[in-house]
Amino acid sequence: MKHLLACDIGGTDLKVGTFSLDGELKETVKIPLGNRQGQPILSHIESHIDEDTAGLALSIPGFIDPKTGFIEMGGAIVDFNGFNIVDYFQERYPHIPVTAENDANCVALAEKWKGHAKAETDFLCMTIGTGIGGAIYLNDALYRGVNNRSGEFGHMFSEPVTSKESENHKFNKTATMAVLREKYAEYINVPFEEVTGEQIFEAYDSSEEAALHCVGNFYKGVAMSVLNLYYIFAPPVFYIGGGITSRQTFLSEIKERIVEMEPAFSAEMKVTSFGNQSGMIGAVCHHLESV
């Protein structure tokens, strides 16, 4: 049976979903990406294309032109810098329409299309994972900015720049799950690979000193980034995505720190509707709107 294939390329996993031609998710699989190299990712995607594939919808980190598929900067996938992923697949599968969109934009599109934001005309999405991504939905439309660079919330500065490495002073380097794992591993003197987010939060819930310190700094960084955006946009709603949102107390813990810094904070904060499937669903939404 003919179907759409959606692929959400992340910093740690490739998520692949099969959808009906009108956008209903049928099945999905997650593939770990150990080294983040471009060619293995492309090969994994190709392995799921068959004679029944009627369209390929891609969700990708970085700066992407949604009209052409050119990736100016590929985020965690450095091999995709300066690469046109739509051309790559169209040359190999000329009979299959291919589309590509920024991953955080896909989360916002999914939320607007089938999620809690159906009735919203203005909202922000923030995704917290290997990096911090974002999407801006204003006046009932996705705002892309000049050269499709809007919503890169992780590139906001989180502290004064005191070194030649300005990237080290951005939220992507101070308030992500990867940074939390790195700091905790340093604190307890174990290899980074031996530390998981689940382990850190279990220690945090047990009031372990190292976890209290590291998670406290992580929460402070996330709260600061939300407040920076609140002061600029004053959106009625923030939608937060990423694996961390599976923690039931996450939003209340973040909101507590936000209100400590700014008692007048009045925006709602909600978890995105579809978890790890958001990128794929949003990619399909963009595909159906584009072809």
Side-chain angles (χ1 to χ4, degrees):
M1 182 177 293
K2 293 293 183 181
H3 61 261
L4 301 176
L5 186 68
C7 299
D8 180 22
I9 302 170
T12 56
D13 300 297
L14 169 68
K15 292 172 278 293
V16 181
T18 301
F19 288 74
S20 68
L21 297 183
D22 60 356
E24 292 299 319
L25 179 61
K26 299 300 182 184
E27 57 182 351
T28 183
V29 63
K30 183 168 69 173
I31 303 165
L33 299 176
N35 51 26
R36 300 180 186 171
Q37 292 180 348
Q39 190 55 55
I41 294 172
L42 298 172
S43 297
H44 280 309
I45 294 172
E46 288 192 73
S47 71
H48 287 84
I49 297 174
D50 57 31
E51 64 275 8
D52 287 327
T53 303
L56 175 60
L58 303 171
S59 166
I60 306 168
F63 304 146
I64 296 97
D65 186 330
K67 295 181 180 179
T68 67
F70 179 76
I71 306 171
E72 181 181 348
M73 187 277 290
I77 316 299
V78 177
D79 288 353
F80 285 169
N81 292 353
F83 176 64
N84 193 308
I85 197 166
V86 168
D87 285 352
Y88 175 89
F89 285 107
Q90 290 284 212
E91 289 171 4
R92 287 158 177 76
Y93 307 93
H95 61 292
I96 299 176
V98 182
T99 56
E101 174 62 286
N102 168 269
D103 54 357
N105 284 348
C106 285
V107 173
L109 289 172
E111 208 60 41
K112 178 65 178 178
W113 184 31
K114 294 191 174 188
H116 297 310
K118 285 182 180 180
E120 302 284 355
T121 59
D122 301 88
F123 62 91
L124 299 186
C125 276
M126 176 182 287
T127 57
I128 304 170
T130 306
I132 293 181
I136 303 166
Y137 212 91
L138 297 176
N139 299 319
D140 212 23
L142 189 63
Y143 178 74
R144 301 182 185 279
V146 176
N147 297 323
N148 304 293
R149 290 195 176 198
S150 70
E152 293 294 333
F153 301 158
H155 286 281
M156 294 188 298
F157 287 101
S158 60
E159 58 190 18
V161 178
T162 57
S163 73
K164 293 182 180 179
E165 298 295 330
S166 62
E167 292 295 319
N168 292 335
H169 304 280
K170 296 181 176 181
F171 285 108
N172 275 340
K173 295 293 185 180
T174 61
T176 69
M177 286 302 297
V179 171
L180 173 60
R181 290 175 57 207
E182 179 183 302
K183 297 298 184 183
Y184 183 76
E186 289 177 1
Y187 208 102
I188 65 173
N189 196 29
V190 301
F192 171 81
E193 295 77 14
E194 294 182 11
V195 173
T196 66
E198 290 83 358
Q199 172 190 345
I200 297 171
F201 279 97
E202 285 177 6
Y204 176 77
D205 290 335
S206 299
S207 299
E208 181 197 89
E209 180 182 353
L212 288 173
H213 173 78
C214 295
V215 172
N217 285 340
F218 167 70
Y219 277 162
K220 180 180 179 181
V222 174
M224 287 171 58
S225 65
V226 170
L227 279 172
N228 284 344
L229 295 165
Y230 176 74
Y231 291 132
I232 297 168
F233 295 101
V237 186
F238 283 87
Y239 289 97
I240 312 295
I244 182 62
T245 59
S246 63
R247 178 176 171 82
Q248 292 186 348
T249 55
F250 173 73
L251 283 188
S252 62
E253 288 165 343
I254 290 295
K255 185 74 175 283
E256 179 181 347
R257 283 156 179 82
I258 290 172
V259 173
E260 286 175 358
M261 298 181 199
E262 177 50 89
F265 181 81
S266 61
E268 286 189 79
M269 296 186 68
K270 299 180 180 180
V271 173
T272 53
S273 303
F274 306 109
N276 286 333
Q277 297 176 352
S278 291
M280 293 183 294
I281 293 171
V284 170
C285 176
H286 171 65
H287 185 86
L288 294 174
E289 291 177 348
S290 301
V291 298

